[in-house]
Amino acid sequence: MAVNLDKATVREKIARRAEQEIESGFYVNLGIGMPTMVANYIQPDKQVVLQSENGLLGIGRSPYEDEVDPDLINAGKETVTASVGASYCDSAESFGMIRGEHLDLAILGGMEVSETGNLANWMIPGKMIKGMGGAMDIVHGSKKVVIIMDHVNKYGEPKILKECSLPLTGKGVVNRIITDRAVIDVKEGGLELVEVGEGWTIDEIKDCTGAGLKVHEDLYETKQ
Amino acid sequence: MKDIYTSFQEAVRDIEDYSTIMVGGFGLVGIPENLILALVESNAKHLTVISNNCGVDDWGLGLLLQNKQIDKMIGSYVGENKEFERQVIEGELEVELVPQGTLAERIRAGGAGIPAFYTPAGVGTPIAEGKEVRTFDGKEYLLQTGLTADYSLVRAAKGDKHGNLIYNKTARNFNPMMAAAGATTIAEVEKLVEPGTLDPDHIHTPGIYVQSLIEGQQEKRIERLTLAKQA
């Protein structure tokens, strides 16, 4: 049975699932938009350092009114605070720590992901091109890249495809895709379905995915 | 030794038409607000501007756009500006989009005497078109060139009269690399102090990179005020 949830509930569901990718001790970059929401659900027993590519290692909570410093923002240009033990750096150093693979995990949004782990998330031909920001660097810079997005677009078409139709952000960069319906890993031989969301069956996930899916063996017992 | 200005108009007076200028800042944070305002007034045209973003419609580099002073913009994200979109569509403005980390490193390289370097960012994407790809240890990389400028306009929290600069929090961003990559670097500082006042161990930009300084007060506009809910 397909599940219909409102947009906010879907986003929260995806963000909560993405939080489980974060282990205590991790340095993590969260992309702009839905990925930023993941920070709201980080379990208090986990020690996590969030990196902001504009030069902050250790993003804190949003400021109270009397704490606002206009010189302190995250990469989404929102006012933030610095966490205890944070550090600042310039943009070259910030991307040096990204490109040098010092981060454990990056959680980013996506428009399309291919079965070889190609990611498209920065431009739609024919529409105004705003720029890639830091996305093209960040996809190469983390030990693990997790993409969170809706499983299908607003027309109900798959966003997980054999080949991306949109211009790429990175080639062969995605390790895991978390959607409102499933969790899918990018493996050597293609995509592997590792989790099926509540209310969905394996066949329904296959039907709304535009690339072949191997099914992780543990799933058959619980979801068939 | 350094030129210390008291007038922003004076500070940007030598910037001529067709100059390439780097402008520090990420969004509106860390931008040299008063130097930009003075550049609008100076009316220098046909500029090539290198900056991560291009301001908003009525502030920062957006003001230079409105005054049609920019021919070419090199940046990583220009989405906050309607006039920008109009000028691109009308063919009045040329844009070169560069991944943000590549942009930062191109500027760093330019200031450090490195003509080019390889980076994984952008391999297999539209920005790889026409660029050399080379494989190291089985992984592909793009050749990217260093960037320099005729002028760099930067902003710091504190500067001394030897040109040493200290930035505040995330207002540092692109400013230090740009200070090094500009043939002439003009620093707008919130507070100008005598040499010896700043701890040499705390200097972010050593004075050698800075040719002139001016003290000024900024508005520090906030693009996205996000507050915690009061408990």
Side-chain angles (χ1 to χ4, degrees):
Chain A
M1 249 304 276
V3 184
N4 284 311
L5 299 169
D6 67 83
K7 211 173 169 184
T9 312
V10 169
R11 286 164 71 90
E12 182 180 331
K13 187 180 154 189
I14 296 173
R16 284 187 186 279
R17 176 59 190 81
E19 187 277 336
Q20 294 173 32
E21 302 294 314
I22 300 173
E23 293 174 28
S24 196
F26 267 19
Y27 289 93
V28 182
N29 182 292
L30 300 174
I32 294 161
M34 184 160 60
T36 304
M37 282 175 56
V38 176
N40 301 336
Y41 304 108
I42 296 174
Q43 297 300 311
D45 59 337
K46 289 182 188 173
Q47 283 201 336
V48 179
V49 179
L50 299 176
Q51 201 253 16
S52 192
E53 62 267 26
N54 56 318
L56 167 58
L57 188 61
I59 308 173
R61 57 165 172 75
S62 300
Y64 294 116
E65 210 153 0
D66 58 358
E67 294 174 323
V68 170
D69 184 335
D71 285 340
L72 181 48
I73 59 167
N74 64 17
K77 305 189 181 107
E78 297 167 331
T79 47
V80 291
T81 58
S83 64
V84 173
S87 61
Y88 301 107
C89 63
D90 64 55
S91 299
E93 172 139 28
S94 181
F95 280 96
M97 66 179 77
I98 290 170
R99 218 185 287 105
E101 297 192 7
H102 300 282
L103 298 183
D104 297 288
L105 174 67
I107 301 176
L108 304 169
M111 295 176 186
E112 293 176 347
V113 179
S114 84
E115 64 181 2
T116 55
N118 295 349
L119 170 68
N121 75 352
W122 75 284
M123 71 174 274
I124 299 172
K127 289 204 175 169
M128 174 63 190
I129 301 165
K130 293 182 169 183
M132 67 294 281
M136 285 190 185
D137 309 274
I138 294 169
V139 293
H140 287 281
S142 298
K143 296 183 183 85
K144 186 173 184 182
V145 174
V146 173
I147 300 302
I148 60 175
M149 62 182 190
D150 293 329
H151 204 93
V152 297
N153 65 22
K154 60 183 172 182
Y155 307 108
E157 299 158 348
K159 295 174 63 157
I160 302 167
L161 303 162
K162 283 189 83 65
E163 287 288 341
C164 293
S165 65
L166 298 168
L168 296 185
T169 305
K171 194 174 79 172
V173 292
V174 179
N175 301 108
R176 172 166 278 194
I177 310 159
I178 297 174
T179 76
D180 51 322
R181 301 180 184 182
V183 178
I184 294 171
D185 281 345
V186 180
K187 293 285 178 84
E188 277 294 310
L191 299 175
E192 183 176 63
L193 182 62
V194 291
E195 284 174 35
V196 172
E198 209 180 305
W200 296 89
T201 68
I202 290 172
D203 283 340
E204 282 169 341
I205 299 301
K206 283 182 171 176
D207 285 346
C208 63
T209 302
L213 279 184
K214 278 185 279 183
V215 179
H216 193 277
E217 53 189 24
D218 297 349
L219 263 185
Y220 277 115
E221 293 160 27
T222 52
K223 283 286 172 183
Q224 200 62 329
Chain B
M1 214 162 72
K2 307 294 179 188
D3 293 323
I4 308 294
Y5 290 104
T6 51
S7 147
F8 284 96
Q9 285 79 6
E10 213 42 20
V12 302
R13 189 188 49 195
D14 293 338
I15 300 180
E16 295 172 342
D17 292 357
Y18 297 98
S19 297
T20 296
I21 58 170
M22 290 182 178
V23 183
F26 179 95
L28 298 178
V29 172
I31 61 171
E33 297 179 12
N34 294 294
L35 288 172
I36 294 170
L37 288 169
L39 198 55
V40 172
E41 226 175 286
S42 85
N43 216 21
K45 297 237 192 265
H46 304 294
L47 302 173
T48 294
V49 174
I50 302 169
S51 188
N52 188 53
N53 314 95
C54 201
V56 294
D57 277 317
D58 64 346
W59 195 237
L61 290 174
L63 298 172
L64 284 182
L65 268 182
Q66 281 197 344
N67 203 29
K68 301 190 169 53
Q69 290 172 267
I70 306 178
D71 278 2
K72 182 177 180 183
M73 176 74 207
I74 302 175
S76 87
Y77 190 81
V78 291
E80 315 290 355
N81 196 315
K82 285 197 177 64
E83 174 63 13
F84 191 96
E85 187 170 343
R86 192 198 65 73
Q87 290 188 16
V88 171
I89 291 166
E90 302 289 326
E92 296 168 17
L93 176 66
E94 189 190 339
V95 188
E96 182 181 338
L97 290 171
V98 182
Q100 196 175 133
T102 299
L103 181 64
E105 191 63 17
R106 288 180 71 185
I107 297 165
R108 196 196 71 80
I114 296 171
F117 59 93
Y118 289 96
T119 175
V123 170
T125 77
I127 69 131
E129 280 165 30
K131 293 200 173 65
E132 182 191 323
V133 177
R134 188 162 159 190
T135 303
F136 296 90
D137 289 331
K139 194 175 164 185
E140 290 179 321
Y141 297 83
L142 283 188
L143 185 69
Q144 292 278 6
T145 53
L147 287 170
T148 54
D150 300 315
Y151 292 90
S152 284
L153 309 183
V154 302
R155 196 191 91 208
K158 289 178 198 160
D160 71 21
K161 290 177 177 170
H162 284 181
N164 296 307
L165 304 178
I166 292 175
Y167 307 94
N168 184 42
K169 303 187 175 74
T170 56
R172 194 182 320 181
N173 56 61
F174 285 83
N175 284 300
M177 294 85 74
M178 288 182 171
T184 299
T185 291
I186 309 168
E188 172 177 339
V189 298
E190 292 169 47
K191 195 162 177 45
L192 184 66
V193 299
E194 292 299 323
T197 314
L198 305 175
D199 183 340
D201 250 343
H202 292 171
I203 302 296
H204 296 133
T205 292
I208 191 169
Y209 300 122
V210 177
Q211 279 66 47
S212 56
L213 298 102
I214 179 164
E215 188 180 72
Q217 205 180 0
Q218 294 75 31
E219 281 188 30
K220 295 194 180 179
R221 291 195 191 174
I222 294 173
E223 271 183 271
R224 300 215 172 92
L225 180 66
T226 306
L227 296 172
K229 291 189 185 82
Q230 290 288 350

